[in-house]
Amino acid sequence: MKNPIAERIADFLKQFHPFKQLKYEDIFTVSKNCSVLYLEKNQILFNVNDKTHSDFYVVANGAIGLSVTSDTDDILIDKCNVCIKNTNTFLTNNILL
């Protein structure tokens, strides 16, 4: 049975390290276990003191910013366009795109 969503995810992931080092079949297996998460502009994925996520995140379109909020300002620490970022470690069981 075809799985077009997993195929699209695998085709995207195979362009980036560490996935480009894997066989397509292995990337496809990972892709079948992905969850897709859509965030609107300025929507918060996680906050500083949140419980550690067990997932890593792939930004497929758009950008994501890492910022710290002080009493009066938001300070942008990092901004990532199409990239692979992890909230904790790169070895996880769940993937969110």
Side-chain angles (χ1 to χ4, degrees):
M1 176 182 268
K2 292 196 79 83
N3 187 334
I5 294 173
E7 288 174 6
R8 287 181 55 203
I9 292 169
D11 289 340
F12 175 78
L13 290 176
K14 73 180 182 182
Q15 302 173 68
F16 304 98
H17 289 289
F19 299 101
K20 66 172 29 177
Q21 305 300 319
L22 301 174
K23 294 183 219 168
Y24 186 83
E25 297 80 30
D26 295 332
I27 300 169
F28 185 71
T29 298
V30 168
S31 298
K32 291 189 295 184
N33 293 290
C34 290
S35 298
V36 177
L37 174 68
Y38 296 96
L39 297 176
E40 297 294 326
K41 185 174 182 175
N42 297 321
Q43 189 175 352
I44 295 173
L45 178 61
F46 59 89
N47 290 298
V48 172
N49 298 321
D50 282 356
K51 184 178 177 186
T52 303
H53 296 194
S54 62
D55 307 314
F56 74 85
Y57 301 92
V58 176
V59 178
N61 293 303
I64 192 163
L66 177 62
S67 60
V68 175
T69 303
S70 69
D71 291 336
T72 58
D73 296 319
D74 282 337
I75 302 166
L76 184 65
I77 296 183
D78 190 14
K79 185 172 184 179
C80 179
N81 298 325
V82 182
C83 65
I84 298 175
K85 287 285 187 183
N86 181 354
T87 59
N88 304 303
T89 66
F90 282 99
L91 301 174
T92 64
N93 294 324
N94 302 307
I95 299 172
L96 296 174
L97 292 180

